[in-house]
Amino acid sequence: MQYLLKNDCILVEGRARGALYDLNSGRVYSINQGAVKLLQACQQTALEDIMDPTLAANKPYLLFLDTLTAKGLGATYHGPAPQQPHKPLPVYQPKLEFVWLELTANCNNRCLHCYSESSPHTSVSPVTHNRWLELIREAREQGADSIQLIGGEPLLYPRWRELVVKAQQENYELIEIFTNATLVDDSCIDFFKQHNVSIATTIYADNALTHDKVTLHRGSFNKTMSAIKKILAKDIPLRIASIIMKANEHEVDNIAKLYTRLGLEPSPPDVIRPTGRGDDEALLPQNYSKPSIKPPFFTDPESFIKAQNFHSCLAGRLAITSAGDVIPCIFARDQICGNILHTSLSSILNSQSLTSCWCTTKDCVTKCKDCEYRYACADCRPLAQSQDPHKNWQATPIDCSYNPYTGKWEDDNNV
């Protein structure tokens, strides 16, 4: 008699415990070290050679295997185990999918927390207009199907409309402009609609008093809200981000209610990123924090394979700053992988520096590499690095209280 896990059930071992990844249902089940050793033995040896099934002392082990069978994770075979139909897991090979173009560091807002330290008075970008046009073409040739124009304030870039037209000509599936929306007028609205542009913007409160304290731009709230209403009235795709810091942490519930009034699906606000001007402890919220990493965890075959070889978020993405630097994420300001003023985009995509960033899996991260949840847990490398005292790219996320060496969640004994 032999007990075998199904092909789509994968055992992942951590330092103190293990996890069963059910790639069929997407569920991830936590198991203790004894269960790990039992299942490892079962995959190689007949059950009778591991234990005597007739002994009462072994009943808990058999009940455990019965539980796995009931969940469709494994099965007991009397005699030779039949050949299980093999479903090959998908092969994931990253290619460029999404690109940010930071057109300018110039911005009419002076937000307290700006990650790129944009302001109304910045140096002129060395990237020429023709180079931006070339990059839109090059990125599409390399596989990118989504592009976001960002800044600074991208609408302060004098010829931003020409870049949108170029992206449309190159058949990008998504063309998005991330703007503070204070400069959006009726002609912009008509242009967005005509060229299938999606818009993203940021709201820091449901009132001008708090919002304008964050942007340091009097009147910015009213201008942004006016643009939002015009955008929605024209059925232009819109998403609104919210960043929480000390100055607006009392507005979290009000922001959610504002989303509802606007007819938008509420989304959890992000917390200020310690990057650029945001790298200031005085700006951190005192009472608000994002939910910490906790079970249940879920995955799927593609995500599971990707997590073992590539970073779940970074792979397939890059940003090009107004200085021409190529970085894997707009928040990873010091992870410079090249500069498009001197090097072709294709060369940078094939460079070791970008490949290393894209290949930063949880197996590279301190503590995470010993965790059984490492292939099902989300990760933000720029955030972990910026919160680390030593700014280590492979730093442990601070929003995870799980100790893989004890198998316990240290902030909640009931998890």
Side-chain angles (χ1 to χ4, degrees):
M1 183 168 62
Q2 190 167 11
Y3 191 89
L4 297 176
L5 294 173
K6 297 293 182 67
N7 279 339
D8 51 13
C9 180
I10 311 296
L11 172 62
V12 176
E13 191 173 3
R15 187 64 68 89
R17 295 179 64 85
L20 291 174
Y21 288 59
D22 182 1
L23 302 184
N24 186 38
S25 71
R27 292 291 303 270
V28 178
Y29 299 92
S30 175
I31 58 176
N32 61 32
Q33 189 62 234
V36 170
K37 299 304 182 187
L38 173 61
L39 289 173
Q40 288 174 335
C42 284
Q43 306 314 296
Q44 305 294 329
T45 309
L47 200 55
E48 294 90 340
D49 294 335
I50 299 171
M51 70 178 82
D52 184 347
T54 65
L55 292 180
N58 290 327
K59 186 175 181 180
Y61 302 108
L62 299 175
L63 288 175
F64 166 69
L65 296 179
D66 287 342
T67 299
L68 297 188
T69 301
K71 294 180 182 295
L73 304 179
T76 301
Y77 300 97
H78 299 272
Q83 189 72 28
Q84 296 185 55
H86 181 65
K87 292 191 295 184
L89 294 175
V91 176
Y92 177 82
Q93 185 61 41
K95 63 177 181 60
L96 185 60
E97 300 170 8
F98 182 94
V99 59
W100 292 273
L101 300 185
E102 292 188 355
L103 303 180
T104 177
N106 196 19
C107 188
N108 56 334
N109 284 351
R110 298 181 295 276
C111 295
L112 297 173
H113 61 293
C114 181
Y115 66 88
S116 63
E117 302 185 81
S118 299
S119 72
H121 307 290
T122 57
S123 57
V124 177
S125 169
V127 183
T128 66
H129 185 67
N130 283 340
R131 188 68 182 111
W132 285 127
L133 291 169
E134 290 173 355
L135 288 165
I136 291 172
R137 174 183 56 79
E138 290 175 25
R140 188 73 182 103
E141 289 175 349
Q142 294 297 321
D145 55 22
S146 301
I147 189 169
Q148 184 187 94
L149 306 183
I150 194 171
E153 172 48 53
L155 299 191
L156 284 173
Y157 182 78
R159 301 170 71 179
W160 64 267
R161 294 175 194 238
E162 295 177 25
L163 301 182
V164 170
V165 171
K166 176 64 173 176
Q168 190 176 44
Q169 291 172 345
E170 295 291 341
N171 294 315
Y172 279 86
E173 295 178 14
L174 172 68
I175 304 170
E176 184 176 71
I177 298 177
F178 204 122
T179 169
N180 61 39
T182 61
L183 301 176
V184 172
D185 56 21
D186 291 343
S187 68
C188 292
I189 297 289
D190 292 339
F191 183 86
F192 297 154
K193 187 69 175 178
Q194 179 184 356
H195 295 280
N196 299 317
V197 176
S198 298
I199 300 299
T201 192
T202 313
I203 285 291
Y204 301 106
D206 71 342
N207 61 85
L209 180 63
T210 302
H211 180 93
D212 293 0
K213 280 184 179 178
V214 174
T215 64
L216 299 181
H217 178 187
R218 183 178 298 225
S220 61
F221 176 78
N222 291 333
K223 292 176 182 177
T224 298
M225 286 303 304
S226 175
I228 286 173
K229 291 173 182 177
K230 290 180 179 180
I231 290 167
L232 291 174
K234 289 290 187 177
D235 292 322
I236 295 168
L238 172 71
R239 63 185 182 91
I240 301 178
S242 299
I243 311 298
I244 302 302
M245 63 203 80
K246 185 177 181 180
N248 71 333
E249 62 179 325
H250 59 287
E251 295 285 352
V252 173
D253 291 340
N254 293 333
I255 292 171
K257 292 175 183 176
L258 176 61
Y259 275 61
T260 302
R261 292 199 299 272
L262 292 171
L264 298 173
E265 193 71 28
S267 59
D270 201 357
V271 175
I272 181 175
R273 302 294 184 96
T275 304
R277 286 200 295 269
D279 193 10
D280 182 351
E281 290 188 5
L283 297 176
L284 294 175
Q286 302 299 300
N287 302 305
Y288 179 83
S289 62
K290 290 183 69 175
S292 59
I293 297 171
K294 287 284 174 66
F297 294 102
F298 297 90
T299 190
D300 58 76
E302 181 176 340
S303 298
F304 178 73
I305 291 297
K306 182 178 180 180
Q308 294 178 74
N309 299 282
F310 304 99
H311 192 272
S312 59
C313 181
L314 296 177
R317 299 181 173 212
L318 61 79
I320 303 173
T321 73
S322 60
D325 291 330
V326 175
I327 53 181
C329 170
I330 55 173
F331 294 110
R333 309 307 289 188
D334 66 345
Q335 296 294 315
I336 298 174
C337 301
N339 188 291
I340 50 82
L341 296 177
H342 319 297
T343 312
S344 69
L345 185 60
S346 60
S347 296
I348 295 172
L349 282 168
N350 292 315
S351 67
Q352 181 61 41
S353 54
L354 183 62
T355 299
S356 295
C357 288
W358 282 8
C359 293
T360 307
T361 69
K362 287 294 189 72
D363 288 317
C364 305
V365 176
T366 306
K367 190 178 87 167
C368 297
K369 62 185 179 182
D370 294 316
C371 177
E372 63 273 19
Y373 299 119
R374 61 189 178 275
Y375 303 134
C377 182
D379 181 56
C380 179
R381 279 297 88 212
L383 179 59
Q385 179 189 32
S386 61
Q387 293 175 327
D388 180 62
H390 306 291
K391 305 302 180 185
N392 180 7
W393 179 247
Q394 298 175 343
T396 303
I398 67 169
D399 57 347
C400 177
S401 67
Y402 185 63
N403 186 336
Y405 308 105
T406 63
K408 295 180 178 179
W409 296 86
E410 296 182 337
D411 64 346
D412 190 345
N413 292 327
N414 295 320
V415 172

